[in-house]
Amino acid sequence: MMKEEEHMSFMRRAIALAIEGVESGAGGPFGAVVVKNGEIVGEGYNRVTSSCDPTAHAEIVAMREACQKMNTFQLEGCILYTSCEPCPMCFGAIYWARPDKVYYAATKEDAAEALFDDAFIYKELSLPSSNRRIPFLPLLNQEGKAPFESWMDKEDREAY
Amino acid sequence: MMKEEEHMSFMRRAIALAIEGVESGAGGPFGAVVVKNGEIVGEGYNRVTSSCDPTAHAEIVAMREACQKMNTFQLEGCILYTSCEPCPMCFGAIYWARPDKVYYAATKEDAAEALFDDAFIYKELSLPSSNRRIPFLPLLNQEGKAPFESWMDKEDREAY
């Protein structure tokens, strides 16, 4: 078990990365660190604007790095430290990567004050598709089932 | 305005990519295409297991490719065609990338039948942090506000 002091030290690294990202012009004020067995296995800061990648949020950058380094697509036994409570995209990414737990410093409300309004996306998620700002429209549902048939027929499929 | 026939043709490409991804062993049965002005500017299939990247869902692969190609982090004027209704991670990514609209073929329910239970993540999103399968714990909130101060002080900050 890690001591509270160690958790704080990793969180301070995530916060320092967030500030470094702002100062270097990489992107928004967010940093994250992935730790396994008391060691950093992935880290990063937001790079959305500098890398032309809307998905390059700090948590995703750090988790992708950790996965590359450990040659896995699962973060069992890992802890994610993020300088701010995750947005819905990063929340989903966390659930797919499955670290053991997540520590966050600033809250969604702090982010909203700096005009990062993740709350808007959380709200849209709860609306029926027809009422959303970005329309989500069904098309070719029957044909769309074919890939699942290929998947179920594949004997050596690797679930995730 | 595109005709219905054109929308169907792009969706069939997304579905074909999903099947190609399964057959090549790249990952799960999902494909996606980003279209601007009637031309494909990004496309891809799920590569989670083969690329050791839990975020490499088809929609994210296709949107990242489109952004790289067009040297932007925003997909205004674009349409995303995805072989299956997006999971919460991809939903969030779509809201950050901001295409004009999204067409999907298979539904979340079809995905759940093939044991891709995005519904679980949607459900977890609606729970208070303390009741979630992956715990989300607050730590160093006051220190966590510092990156937002750096951000607000930065005169040449680029919002997204």
Side-chain angles (χ1 to χ4, degrees):
Chain A
M1 286 290 287
M2 277 203 280
K3 294 184 191 144
E4 191 67 13
E5 198 58 49
E6 286 179 275
H7 290 305
M8 289 196 287
S9 158
F10 290 124
M11 183 59 87
R12 288 193 174 111
R13 174 70 186 147
I15 295 169
L17 282 164
I19 294 171
E20 192 183 321
V22 172
E23 287 173 354
S24 67
F30 304 95
V33 169
V34 178
V35 170
K36 185 162 189 171
N37 299 328
E39 291 197 6
I40 294 177
V41 291
E43 62 174 30
Y45 42 67
N46 183 295
R47 298 173 175 277
V48 168
T49 51
S50 61
S51 68
C52 286
D53 181 355
T55 71
H57 283 201
E59 297 94 323
I60 289 188
V61 171
M63 290 195 294
R64 294 179 85 215
E65 187 179 288
C67 286
Q68 289 307 306
K69 203 166 170 177
M70 300 191 295
N71 202 34
T72 178
F73 52 88
Q74 294 285 273
L75 295 177
E76 282 131 12
C78 295
I79 301 178
L80 174 68
Y81 299 83
T82 170
S83 67
C84 185
E85 210 172 351
C87 80
M89 173 177 72
C90 294
F91 184 95
I94 289 163
Y95 267 83
W96 288 115
R98 306 186 181 96
D100 289 354
K101 56 184 169 174
V102 177
Y103 284 97
Y104 63 91
T107 63
K108 281 184 275 199
E109 292 70 28
D110 296 325
E113 275 182 41
L115 306 181
F116 290 94
D117 205 355
D118 306 0
F120 168 69
I121 305 181
Y122 275 104
K123 200 176 136 199
E124 288 277 303
L125 260 168
S126 67
L127 296 176
S129 4
S130 52
N131 295 359
R132 291 184 190 141
R133 186 80 62 89
I134 300 178
F136 281 63
L137 309 165
L139 184 68
L140 295 179
N141 175 257
Q142 281 307 313
E143 293 180 39
K145 295 177 201 283
F148 293 118
E149 284 158 25
S150 303
W151 177 252
M152 297 311 282
D153 287 347
K154 190 177 170 68
E155 291 185 8
D156 62 343
R157 63 183 184 269
E158 186 175 13
Y160 54 88
Chain B
M1 287 293 287
M2 276 203 280
K3 292 182 193 149
E4 191 68 11
E5 198 57 51
E6 286 179 275
H7 291 305
M8 290 197 285
S9 157
F10 289 124
M11 183 59 87
R12 288 190 174 114
R13 173 71 185 145
I15 294 169
L17 282 163
I19 294 170
E20 191 182 321
V22 171
E23 287 173 353
S24 68
F30 304 95
V33 169
V34 178
V35 170
K36 185 162 190 171
N37 299 329
E39 291 198 5
I40 293 177
V41 291
E43 62 175 28
Y45 42 68
N46 183 295
R47 298 173 173 276
V48 168
T49 51
S50 62
S51 69
C52 287
D53 182 354
T55 71
H57 284 200
E59 297 94 322
I60 289 188
V61 171
M63 291 195 294
R64 294 179 86 214
E65 186 177 288
C67 285
Q68 289 306 308
K69 202 164 172 178
M70 300 191 295
N71 202 33
T72 177
F73 51 90
Q74 294 285 274
L75 295 178
E76 281 130 13
C78 295
I79 300 178
L80 174 68
Y81 298 83
T82 170
S83 66
C84 184
E85 209 172 350
C87 80
M89 172 177 72
C90 294
F91 184 96
I94 288 163
Y95 267 83
W96 288 115
R98 307 187 181 94
D100 290 355
K101 57 183 169 176
V102 176
Y103 284 96
Y104 62 91
T107 63
K108 281 183 275 199
E109 292 71 29
D110 296 325
E113 275 182 43
L115 306 181
F116 290 94
D117 203 356
D118 306 1
F120 168 69
I121 306 182
Y122 275 105
K123 200 177 137 201
E124 288 278 302
L125 260 170
S126 67
L127 296 177
S129 0
S130 52
N131 295 0
R132 290 182 190 143
R133 186 80 63 89
I134 299 178
F136 281 63
L137 309 164
L139 183 70
L140 295 178
N141 176 255
Q142 280 308 314
E143 292 180 40
K145 295 176 200 284
F148 293 119
E149 284 158 25
S150 303
W151 177 253
M152 297 311 282
D153 287 347
K154 190 176 170 68
E155 291 185 8
D156 62 343
R157 64 181 184 269
E158 187 177 11
Y160 55 88

